[in-house]
Amino acid sequence: DVKVTQSSRYLVKRTGEKVFLECVQDMDHENMFWYRQDPGLGLRLIYFSYDVKMKEKGDIPEGYSVSREKKERFSLILESASTNQTSMYLCASSSSGTGDYEQYFGPGTRLTVT
Amino acid sequence: DAKTTQPPSMDCAEGRAANLPCNHSTISGNEYVYWYRQIHSQGPQYIIHGLKNNETNEMASLIITEDRKSSTLILPHATLRDTAVYYCIVSYLTGTASKLTFGTGTRLQVTL
């Protein structure tokens, strides 16, 4: 089974802190994604990566950056956390080629910024 | 711009078929229809996808109208574990990193 793990299920940070959210997948997938999910807004794509060291902006990249130094790991970075970044963050991965429609999601990290 | 329109909520009795509709009137010729679901406190899970033909797998069936402007996801014998938010997504299959735009979905409540 594909497994996507996220470093924390719950995280509380203070305004202005630098926050790292880590995601690891064990299926050798080329593609990895970061979403945030807010009530009434659904899932929104922040950034994605289709290869090591490659990244592309999603729909709401402002206030975030990402890092992909190894194929299995994709990090989301909040350079200076703000209260409006309080949200559920979901990581996903998929393979390239004919199976790239199927994204496998992690359990999510609920981040609260106070 | 919303590419799909789904009812916000639906109820279904356990053991009955759950039919979840989706409108995608602006779908392009090469865009696929995907369905995912999200059970409470979990990440979304892929269910099924299709282009033109009806599709069936072990989880569900997907019926796409001939003009492709709407589709229906069918769970043939709904159980309490099917209670979830169901997302209908329209997107190109790029072969590299297909982007999926999740809307707010349909919250399906399966009851005894």
Side-chain angles (χ1 to χ4, degrees):
Chain A
D1 281 352
V2 175
K3 197 165 185 183
V4 179
T5 56
Q6 296 184 227
S7 49
S8 306
R9 286 302 304 267
Y10 300 93
L11 205 55
V12 180
K13 295 292 181 180
R14 294 190 182 274
T15 301
E17 278 193 82
K18 190 168 186 176
V19 181
F20 292 87
L21 301 183
E22 305 285 338
C23 176
V24 177
Q25 50 94 5
D26 66 358
M27 280 301 292
D28 202 34
H29 282 168
E30 292 80 9
N31 310 316
M32 297 188 74
F33 307 80
W34 274 107
Y35 296 85
R36 65 177 281 177
Q37 184 170 27
D38 302 287
L41 296 176
L43 280 79
R44 293 179 290 168
L45 181 63
I46 304 171
Y47 267 98
F48 68 101
S49 168
Y50 52 89
D51 201 351
V52 175
K53 297 190 185 295
M54 305 304 289
K55 61 185 179 185
E56 285 201 24
K57 293 179 180 179
D59 300 318
I60 51 163
E62 297 79 19
Y64 303 95
S65 62
V66 291
S67 173
R68 192 162 180 207
E69 297 296 319
K70 293 185 177 181
K71 191 175 185 180
E72 67 271 17
R73 188 179 297 270
F74 192 35
S75 302
L76 180 69
I77 304 156
L78 287 66
E79 294 289 343
S80 178
S82 63
T83 55
N84 62 13
Q85 292 178 311
T86 291
S87 186
M88 171 68 83
Y89 289 88
L90 289 154
C91 175
S93 72
S94 70
S95 63
S96 287
T98 56
D100 82 325
Y101 57 84
E102 185 169 1
Q103 294 186 15
Y104 295 85
F105 283 81
T109 295
R110 185 166 294 281
L111 172 68
T112 302
V113 182
T114 61
Chain B
D1 290 342
K3 283 192 164 184
T4 64
T5 304
Q6 299 178 254
S9 64
M10 293 182 64
D11 291 330
C12 179
E14 189 176 34
R16 304 297 295 267
N19 296 284
L20 292 94
C22 180
N23 287 321
H24 32 79
S25 58
T26 60
I27 191 170
S28 300
N30 294 330
E31 287 185 303
Y32 284 73
V33 180
Y34 305 87
W35 284 84
Y36 278 70
R37 75 179 182 183
Q38 186 173 22
I39 295 170
H40 184 62
S41 299
Q42 298 181 21
Q45 174 192 23
Y46 165 82
I47 301 173
I48 199 167
H49 76 288
L51 182 62
K52 296 180 184 177
N53 300 322
N54 298 336
E55 303 287 346
T56 295
N57 63 19
E58 65 277 5
M59 288 181 69
S61 295
L62 174 61
I63 308 297
I64 302 175
T65 58
E66 195 169 341
D67 63 8
R68 303 210 320 125
K69 292 186 177 182
S70 66
S71 61
T72 301
L73 179 75
I74 301 172
L75 308 178
H77 304 287
T79 71
L80 296 177
R81 285 179 290 185
D82 292 321
T83 292
V85 177
Y86 287 77
Y87 298 97
C88 170
I89 301 161
V90 166
S91 183
Y92 293 101
L93 187 65
T94 67
T96 52
S98 297
K99 290 171 59 178
L100 302 177
T101 300
F102 291 78
T104 53
T106 295
R107 184 174 298 277
L108 175 69
Q109 180 70 51
V110 180
T111 57
L112 289 171

